[in-house]
Amino acid sequence: MPRPPLLHEDRLFPVEPTVRAVARELYAGVCDLPIISPHGHTDPRWFAGNEAFSNPTELLLAPDHYLYRMLFSQGVGLARLGVPARDRVQDIDPREAWRLFADHFYLFRATPSWLWLNHVLQDVFGINTPLNRASADAIYDAMEAALKTPAFRPRALFDRFRIEVLATTESPVDTLEHHHAIMASNWQGRVITTYRPDAVIDCEHEDFQASLETFGDLTGEDVYSWRGYLAAHRQRRVEFIGAGATATDHGHPTAMTADLGDAAAEALFGRVAKGEANAAEAELFRAQMLTEMAEMSLDDGLVMQLHPGSMRNHNADLFAVFGRDKGADIPTQTEYVHALKPLLDRFGNEPDFNLIVFTLDESSYARELAPLAGHYPSLKLGPAWWFHDSPEGMMRFREQTTETAGFYNTVGFNDDTRAFLSIPARHDVARRVDCAFLARLVCEHRMTLEDAHATAADLACNLARKAYRLGEPAISTIARRA
C-alpha cells in the first residue's frame, strides 16, 4: 500500500466545506501559474556556473536561518549544523549535521518551516517518508543521489519550478560577474539583480569604511566628497540596470526619512565619511539617503523597496563568532506616518515613482500602512515578511489591509529567501492562503466568483509583475478556459 503524502491536498484551506470548495476552485486556477520572485537572496553563482549542489545539508540547512534559529533556541550549536564561522575552517560531516536536524525536526511542528521542508521533500525529491531520526539517513541518501543528476542542477530546477523571473540582491561593491555570466550564456532563465546600497550607507556597519573604499575603486569617483559619492551611486545603479535590475532595496533599522538642504547633507556626509558620526547622525544619514535614493529612482525608474524594523544581531556572542544573518535578528516597533513624510512630501504624488514598504510590526498595518498606501499614488505595501511569512501572518495581512488599501495597493507575494528549493513551497503557501481569504469573501457575498478568480491570479503573479515592472499579466487558468 503506498505511503500517504506528507502534505494534505487541502492544507491551509477553510474547514467549512462550502468555503473550502470555493478555495479549491480558486487554487486550481492559479497553482500552475509561473513564479515571479522579485526579491530574494539566492546565490547568482548557482545559475552562472550551473554546477551540481554539493550535498543536502549545504543546500537546505546551512543557509536557512529560519531552521537553525529554532535549533539554536533549543541548545543546538550552529557549528554542529554546518554554519560557517567568521574566521575558521570547520570540518563538519554534512550527514551528521542532517541527522542532528532530523532528530529535532519535531520542533518545527505547526511552523512555516514544517510546511516548506515537507513540500521540498514531497514535491521536489518525491519523498513521502516523514523526517525523523530513523529516516534521516535514507532521506539524505535519496536527496544526495538526486542532486548528482542533471535534473537537479540549478538551471534545470529553475525551469522545473516554472520561475519566470528571480531577483537576487547585491551590494554596490559587488562586481556582478555572475549576472554577467548568466546573461552571456545561452540559457533563457531570467535571473536579475537588485541594488542594495546598505553597505555604503550604513556607517554603523563594521565593514563600512572598507566598502566605501571599494566603492570608490569600482566607480573611479571621489566617494569621500558628497558629489562624488552620489555620482558613484548613480553610476552603479546604471550598471545594475544593465544586469537586469528593476528595483533597489534598503534594510534600515527604522523607516525614518529626511530632506536636508544641500549644505546640511554635505556637512553630515563629511562626518560620516571620516568615521566621526555618532548614532543620531548615522540614523539621520540613512534617512537622508532614502530620500536621495528616491530622487534617483525617479530619474532611472528603479522601484524602491524599504525593509525596516529589525534589530540586527541581537545576540552579541553569536555575531562575534558567526557574523551577520544567523537568526538573531529581532523585530522592533516601527513608525511610518511621521517617518516617511519627508520623502512623501517630495515624491509621494509622483506617478513615475514607486515605493514598496514592508513591516515587521503588524500593529502598523491598519493604523498606518494601509491608510498611507490607500492614499499616496507612489506607495504600495509589500507582503507579510520574515517573521510573518506564515499562514497566519499572511491572513492577518489581508484582513488588516484590504478594507483600507484594497488588493491593488499591495504587490502580491515575494519569497525573500536564500533557500532556493523552498521557493515553490513559499509561493504555494501564499497562493493557498490568498485563495482561502478570497473564498470567504465569495461565500459572504462580498465578491463574485469571477472577480475572485481574477484577483487570485493578480495576487499570484500580476501585482508583482506590475509593481516591479517585470512583464505582461497572466490570468487564472480556469478563467482562461472559460
Side-chain angles (χ1 to χ4, degrees):
M1 183 175 180
R3 185 184 295 274
L6 293 174
L7 296 174
H8 195 282
E9 62 182 358
D10 282 338
R11 61 190 179 277
L12 305 179
F13 290 161
V15 173
E16 200 284 320
T18 302
V19 188
R20 183 170 65 238
V22 176
R24 286 173 179 164
E25 179 181 336
L26 294 173
Y27 175 73
V30 298
C31 61
D32 292 328
L33 291 180
I35 287 174
I36 310 297
S37 181
H39 176 76
H41 303 281
T42 51
D43 191 338
R45 78 181 66 219
W46 293 339
F47 310 103
N50 199 35
E51 299 294 331
F53 293 110
S54 58
N55 61 70
T57 296
E58 184 176 307
L59 178 60
L60 296 175
L61 182 56
D64 195 341
H65 60 76
Y66 284 89
L67 296 180
Y68 53 72
R69 75 184 306 273
M70 175 70 81
L71 297 170
F72 185 80
S73 77
Q74 291 288 309
V76 180
L78 299 192
R80 298 174 65 197
L81 298 168
V83 179
R86 277 181 163 188
D87 56 359
R88 71 189 70 166
V89 177
Q90 294 175 185
D91 185 18
I92 299 298
D93 181 349
R95 183 182 293 273
E96 284 296 328
W98 181 259
R99 288 170 178 159
L100 183 63
F101 170 56
D103 197 27
H104 291 81
F105 190 52
Y106 70 92
L107 297 173
F108 296 92
R109 292 168 183 164
T111 69
S113 294
W114 187 92
L115 286 168
W116 298 334
L117 188 68
N118 279 319
H119 189 285
V120 170
L121 292 176
Q122 174 181 288
D123 286 20
V124 179
F125 289 99
I127 296 170
N128 285 325
T129 305
L131 179 62
N132 51 44
R133 176 187 296 182
S135 64
D137 277 356
I139 289 175
Y140 187 94
D141 289 339
M143 292 193 295
E144 188 174 46
L147 292 177
K148 294 177 180 177
T149 67
F152 280 78
R153 294 289 179 93
R155 293 181 181 181
L157 289 171
F158 184 102
D159 296 336
R160 175 182 162 191
F161 293 163
R162 299 188 305 278
I163 298 176
E164 184 174 299
V165 59
L166 175 69
T168 67
T169 305
E170 279 72 48
S171 84
V173 297
D174 192 288
T175 63
L176 302 178
E177 60 183 295
H178 302 300
H179 283 280
H180 295 315
I182 294 167
M183 296 175 73
S185 72
N186 59 6
W187 180 52
Q188 298 304 305
R190 189 178 177 191
V191 178
I192 64 177
T193 186
T194 301
Y195 188 67
R196 175 113 174 201
D198 299 1
V200 294
I201 288 178
D202 183 6
C203 61
E204 293 184 311
H205 192 292
E206 65 276 11
D207 296 328
F208 173 75
Q209 288 296 336
S211 295
L212 193 60
E213 182 178 354
T214 303
F215 194 38
D217 292 341
L218 279 174
T219 61
E221 296 286 350
D222 176 11
V223 297
Y224 297 95
S225 74
W226 179 232
R227 291 182 183 276
Y229 174 75
L230 295 180
H233 277 289
R234 292 190 184 95
Q235 181 188 139
R236 290 257 66 197
R237 288 168 67 106
V238 169
E239 292 165 359
F240 271 64
I241 291 170
T246 68
T248 70
D249 184 42
H250 309 270
H252 289 202
T254 75
M256 179 179 172
T257 65
D259 190 16
L260 305 175
D262 289 341
E266 185 169 6
L268 175 61
F269 176 72
R271 291 185 57 76
V272 166
K274 293 175 183 176
E276 298 174 352
N278 58 33
E281 289 169 328
E283 175 68 354
L284 182 59
F285 182 69
R286 288 189 292 262
Q288 177 64 25
M289 286 307 300
L290 286 177
T291 306
E292 299 290 346
M293 292 289 109
E295 184 172 19
M296 292 182 196
S297 283
L298 191 59
D299 291 337
D300 61 27
L302 289 179
V303 177
M304 186 173 176
Q305 300 173 95
L306 177 58
H307 286 83
S310 175
M311 182 175 180
R312 307 276 178 171
N313 313 305
H314 194 276
N315 188 326
D317 290 342
L318 200 72
F319 173 66
V321 176
F322 292 97
R324 292 175 170 260
D325 304 319
K326 297 300 182 290
D329 302 334
I330 307 297
T332 61
Q333 183 177 348
T334 308
E335 192 274 337
Y336 293 87
V337 173
H338 298 94
L340 291 176
K341 194 170 191 313
L343 186 151
L344 293 174
D345 282 346
R346 286 277 303 277
F347 306 112
N349 300 320
E350 291 285 352
D352 295 327
F353 173 59
N354 289 283
L355 172 64
I356 302 172
V357 178
F358 296 75
T359 193
L360 293 175
D361 180 1
E362 289 186 308
S363 69
S364 67
Y365 280 149
R367 184 184 64 246
E368 301 181 43
L369 287 174
L372 284 167
H375 172 75
Y376 281 99
S378 67
L379 181 60
K380 298 291 184 287
L381 301 185
W385 164 53
W386 201 345
F387 290 88
H388 309 302
D389 180 12
S390 63
E392 288 79 9
M394 293 172 183
M395 188 63 75
R396 288 193 297 268
F397 173 78
R398 292 290 173 214
E399 290 172 344
Q400 294 183 57
T401 64
T402 302
E403 290 182 341
T404 304
F407 294 110
Y408 293 88
N409 284 312
T410 69
V411 299
F413 177 70
N414 64 60
D415 47 80
D416 189 24
T417 185
R418 293 175 174 82
F420 176 48
L421 267 61
S422 76
I423 288 176
R426 292 167 190 252
H427 284 262
D428 184 71
V429 167
R431 292 177 186 190
R432 287 174 180 273
V433 171
D434 281 338
C435 288
F437 181 69
L438 292 168
R440 191 184 82 196
L441 298 183
V442 170
C443 291
E444 291 175 355
H445 306 292
R446 299 167 62 189
M447 175 180 277
T448 67
L449 182 59
E450 180 181 9
D451 284 348
H453 275 294
T455 304
D458 288 337
L459 296 177
C461 327
N462 296 331
L463 291 180
R465 279 199 186 98
K466 181 178 180 182
Y468 289 88
R469 299 172 176 172
L470 292 170
E472 296 301 316
I475 62 172
S476 160
T477 55
I478 289 180
R480 187 183 302 120
R481 288 198 297 270

